[in-house]
Amino acid sequence: MTTLNLHRVLPLKRSLADVFRYLRDFDNIEQWDPGVFTAERDDSAASSFALELNVLGRAVPMRYTLDVCEPPSAQGQARLVLTGVGDGFTAVDTLTLSATGEATCTLVYRADISTADVPGLLKPVLNCWGERLSNAAMNGLKAALENDGPASPGMAERMAERLVLPGMINYTRRGYRQMPSRGLSRYVDGANPQRIGISGVTSGLGLACAQQLARLGADLVLVGRGTDRLAQAAAAIRPWASHAIRIDCVEAELSSIAATRDLAEQLIGLELDVWINNAGALFDEQALTADGLERTMAINFVSPALLTQALAPSFARRGGRIIQVVSGGLYTQGITLNDMAFTNELFNGPKAYARAKRALLDVSQHWAEQYSNLGLHIMHPGWAATPGVASALPDFNRRLGKRLRTPRQGSDTTVWLASHPIFANGHLSGRFWFDRAPRPTALVPGTATSATDRQVLLSWYEQQISS
Ligand SMILES: NC(=O)c1ccc[n+]([C@@H]2O[C@H](COP(=O)([O-])OP(=O)(O)OC[C@H]3O[C@@H](n4cnc5c(N)ncnc54)[C@H](OP(=O)(O)O)[C@@H]3O)[C@@H](O)[C@H]2O)c1
């Protein structure tokens, strides 16, 4: 048996309570340890975790259990002990926290790793590898807790982005892993818990986003179709909260203008801090809604636009935030003002979807300019494995397989925009975000929307909702 003992002391500029809470949800390790590809909780008590370690680029499974969990004491001490078991190795991680001030603490990290016997000559190599991994993990944890503001893409990433296709490689898990900081630890409970509403919670990104927001302590308003499915979503979200949170469910069919108006009325009455327009869909076939609108446009553009327009004045008064989940696919299309409903052109699902998402981006930027105290943030999630992608794009889903982001990774930027204090009171409003960095809105020549086109688009939208 060979043993490796690692020891690090990490001063942190975050309160003991926040750091303890963040580390106690050990699946967050995916957000700060570059030696971990993915981490998921195995049980609703969040005391067993399945990890995929990144061992020289290969995914190696490991399972952790939380054996000791001593929350912050009156003396400002807290401790967590986790035991990990992999194929041929075990690790005991001890994390001891001591408060050093109201908003600072120190983490003492100790890992005792045992593996099958390693030949003497290789021991220094193993030691060196362990030291490097633990340094990277501690740097990642510090960044996750202290430097989790907006990122600035480097020169190489900006150039790849400009070439569209090379930039799209980062829409996979690769982009998520390359983000300099991925921590989600801005808790939104406290004396006045944030009230956050989100559509499309019965599946995919919406469900994962609501689970993360529950973990951060938000009270939630879940919007979806079908009472039973909403109740199932609420049951899948509740265990993520560390204490009782309030969850309300509202049913709405978002292809209908009347139902969207009803929903807007209800949401205004609920005085939300954040509203997330997440519901969306891509269809193979052209169809009209009961209102006579092309269905892709209705769900991905007209309905979220109507909700945004209705909520904007009251949200602006209170410094609230509205988040639009659009798609990187919008880079491939400009808006086509002479044929928004594909009446003269052969219907193409991905094109219709991309145009609708671009239209939502355009009108959102218009309203962001109109309301100075409103935080209107537009984001795209990259490519994530969700039921929506599996059914709308089966070949794409199969080809990319494990390279697609998990729903949790796909919803990262949405959760960050909803919870980070930097976005309070309209700060940084109107930008288009991907992986926590502001991005250009058009990359392909001829796809940018001019100021005049934006006005025509707004008139077209007004006609749709008034007819
Ligand atoms: N996954 C990706 O890679 C990706 C990439 C770019 C953008 N996006 C965007 O991310 C958002 C979430 O997508 P997803 O991948 O998580 O898809 P998903 O698994 O299909 O989830 C979509 C959600 O939207 C709801 N929804 C669809 N049509 C609706 C309607 N007419 N009325 C009410 N709710 C409706 C669905 O409800 P039902 O369950 O009742 O159908 C579901 O809860 C969408 O806006 C999508 O365009 C996703």
Side-chain angles (χ1 to χ4, degrees):
M1 185 72 72
T2 300
T3 54
L4 179 63
N5 307 109
L6 302 167
H7 181 252
R8 289 282 175 281
V9 178
L10 187 71
L12 288 163
K13 289 192 198 114
R14 287 296 295 274
S15 70
L16 170 68
D18 277 8
V19 178
F20 172 78
R21 212 170 150 179
Y22 187 62
L23 290 172
R24 192 248 171 268
D25 287 332
F26 192 63
D27 46 327
N28 288 335
I29 191 170
E30 173 186 307
Q31 298 172 3
W32 52 267
D33 188 341
V36 174
F37 275 149
T38 55
E40 279 168 21
R41 47 179 77 180
D42 265 354
D43 58 349
S44 59
S47 55
S48 170
F49 306 90
L51 270 62
E52 265 185 1
L53 301 185
N54 170 2
V55 179
L56 305 171
R58 223 164 41 88
V60 173
M62 185 168 189
R63 189 164 299 279
Y64 265 97
T65 50
L66 179 61
D67 297 330
V68 177
C69 177
E70 293 169 3
S73 65
Q75 293 71 37
Q77 299 282 324
R79 195 165 71 104
L80 297 160
V81 181
L82 294 118
T83 305
V85 179
D87 189 9
F89 61 98
T90 58
V92 178
D93 289 4
T94 307
L95 304 157
T96 309
L97 290 162
S98 315
T100 49
E102 226 170 81
T104 55
C105 67
T106 296
L107 165 68
V108 177
Y109 165 77
R110 191 188 152 91
D112 299 303
I113 302 165
S114 314
T115 70
D117 234 354
V118 170
L121 272 174
L122 286 181
K123 281 186 183 162
V125 179
L126 183 70
N127 277 337
C128 183
W129 184 66
E131 295 288 330
R132 270 188 47 201
L133 284 185
S134 64
N135 282 344
M138 291 300 104
N139 290 341
L141 181 60
K142 200 167 179 60
L145 287 162
E146 293 181 0
N147 308 321
D148 59 351
S152 324
M155 176 73 94
E157 195 183 341
R158 284 208 306 274
M159 278 172 64
E161 189 171 66
R162 292 262 154 218
L163 297 170
V164 188
L165 275 180
M168 283 181 169
I169 292 172
N170 285 336
Y171 292 7
T172 62
R173 283 182 190 205
R174 183 179 185 265
Y176 173 81
R177 285 189 197 129
Q178 283 179 355
M179 281 161 56
S181 177
R182 304 187 289 270
L184 287 172
S185 66
R186 300 301 182 143
Y187 295 99
V188 294
D189 39 14
N192 290 311
Q194 296 254 9
R195 199 156 200 213
I196 302 182
I198 174 166
S199 64
V201 288
T202 48
S203 168
L205 301 182
L207 181 59
C209 179
Q211 288 171 330
Q212 290 306 305
L213 292 169
R215 186 176 68 73
L216 295 177
D219 285 337
L220 295 171
V221 176
L222 309 180
V223 174
R225 295 189 284 194
T227 327
D228 290 351
R229 297 187 57 229
L230 273 169
Q232 272 169 23
I237 291 163
R238 215 175 270 290
W240 285 79
S242 62
H243 57 272
I245 56 165
R246 180 171 172 177
I247 298 186
D248 294 297
C249 295
V250 182
E251 272 192 84
E253 166 53 67
L254 296 172
S255 64
S256 153
I257 291 181
T260 303
R261 282 194 203 282
D262 275 357
L263 173 64
E265 287 286 304
Q266 293 185 61
L267 295 179
I268 290 169
L270 289 170
E271 301 208 325
L272 300 175
D273 298 288
V274 182
W275 166 249
I276 304 170
N277 274 314
N278 165 76
L282 191 160
F283 303 100
D284 274 350
E285 285 173 11
Q286 189 166 22
L288 296 183
T289 65
D291 300 313
L293 288 176
E294 190 282 302
R295 157 174 82 162
T296 317
M297 249 328 146
I299 296 167
N300 296 287
F301 170 47
V302 177
S303 169
L306 184 50
L307 287 168
T308 306
Q309 190 181 26
L311 298 180
S314 61
F315 272 49
R317 277 195 295 278
R318 295 197 316 278
R321 310 175 195 190
I322 298 176
I323 298 165
Q324 315 289 32
V325 179
V326 299
S327 162
L330 64 75
Y331 282 125
T332 63
Q333 296 289 309
I335 48 162
T336 46
L337 295 164
N338 57 354
D339 195 12
M340 294 291 282
F342 278 84
T343 38
N344 307 320
E345 193 183 334
L346 198 63
F347 182 78
N348 174 310
K351 258 192 195 177
Y353 172 81
R355 288 179 192 172
K357 294 288 191 183
R358 176 169 289 286
L360 183 60
L361 164 76
D362 290 337
V363 297
S364 301
Q365 290 195 315
H366 167 76
W367 287 318
E369 287 162 17
Q370 305 288 304
Y371 296 96
S372 60
N373 205 34
L374 168 69
L376 220 170
H377 310 290
I378 309 116
M379 64 76 64
H380 83 84
W383 293 329
T386 63
V389 167
S391 68
L393 302 167
D395 290 343
F396 172 83
N397 186 54
R398 211 172 309 114
R399 264 205 318 277
L400 268 86
K402 285 281 268 182
R403 276 169 292 177
L404 288 170
R405 295 173 182 220
T406 62
R408 178 178 177 170
Q409 293 169 349
S411 65
D412 170 87
T413 297
T414 310
V415 179
W416 177 73
L417 289 165
S419 59
H420 202 292
I422 199 168
F423 297 104
N425 301 319
H427 190 52
L428 297 172
S429 183
R431 286 170 178 71
F432 180 34
W433 298 89
F434 169 57
D435 280 351
R436 305 190 185 194
R439 308 286 173 165
T441 54
L443 296 169
V444 178
T447 54
T449 309
S450 68
T452 318
D453 285 352
R454 196 159 86 175
Q455 281 311 317
V456 180
L457 173 66
L458 280 160
S459 311
W460 180 86
Y461 156 76
E462 292 290 348
Q463 262 174 24
Q464 306 310 304
I465 58 166
S466 57
S467 52

